[in-house]
Amino acid sequence: MIAVVACGNLARRDDGAGPAVLAALRKDPLLVAAPGLRLLDAATDGLAVLFAARGARELIVIDACRSGQPPGAVFEVPGEAFVSRREPPRDSHALRWDDALTIAQRMSAASYPATVRVYLIEVADTGLGLELSAPVAAAVEQLNGRLRLQLHRDLRVRAA
């Protein structure tokens, strides 16, 4: 099974990039009906990522980032880059998705997804508001197309 998890806050403009990509993926009826695919909007709940990863062979996390690159830049990062040696927070309200990846791997490396990919979209504006900035909206469309092609391919291969 492939789990696609979007993270972000829709009320903070570009921080809603992950959920915007997920919403676009949900417009594809073949993906919505695919038995080997789980689509989840985790919002800002890092713990939801922990549960989404359980039982998945592949986990895809989509979120916004602020790295200093031009707004709308899209990064693909292997999940291993986010598994930390530091102790995750004890307060579940402070738990982020990268903490959840660390916990999931520590709890059960055998059931941890074989493949974890993280897609990050560089933000321009995280002020209050519901609309994405133009460069982030364009990046959402670009990443949606890329992930749709990849998921169609991967699901077709697994179904054959």
Side-chain angles (χ1 to χ4, degrees):
M1 190 242 316
I2 300 172
V4 178
V5 182
C7 301
N9 184 342
L10 289 170
R12 301 298 300 216
R13 296 194 35 110
D14 290 345
D15 192 42
V21 172
L22 191 73
L25 290 173
R26 285 183 170 155
K27 291 179 182 177
D28 184 328
L30 294 175
L31 292 180
V32 172
L37 182 64
R38 181 186 310 154
L39 300 172
L40 174 70
D41 183 349
T44 59
D45 181 7
L47 207 51
V49 177
L50 175 69
F51 291 109
R54 224 173 72 189
R57 286 181 288 183
E58 181 175 347
L59 174 65
I60 298 170
V61 178
I62 310 162
D63 199 1
C65 72
R66 186 179 305 268
S67 70
Q69 295 299 310
V74 177
F75 308 98
E76 180 179 352
V77 184
E80 301 83 49
F82 294 97
V83 175
S84 174
R85 288 190 176 88
R86 71 176 171 80
E87 187 64 29
R90 295 179 190 266
D91 177 3
S92 63
H93 296 285
L95 191 75
R96 303 178 332 192
W97 60 261
D98 53 337
D99 297 319
L101 292 179
T102 300
I103 291 169
Q105 189 178 50
R106 287 182 188 175
M107 283 176 52
S108 178
S111 65
Y112 188 75
T115 304
V116 178
R117 282 179 286 149
V118 178
Y119 292 92
L120 301 170
I121 298 175
E122 184 76 21
V123 299
D125 181 359
T126 56
L128 293 175
L130 301 175
E131 34 322 293
L132 299 173
S133 65
V136 171
V140 163
E141 289 306 311
Q142 172 199 358
L143 185 53
N144 170 53
R146 182 174 165 186
L147 288 175
R148 281 184 59 227
L149 287 173
Q150 172 192 323
L151 291 168
H152 278 274
R153 185 196 70 229
D154 291 352
L155 293 167
R156 193 169 24 250
V157 168
R158 286 184 173 86

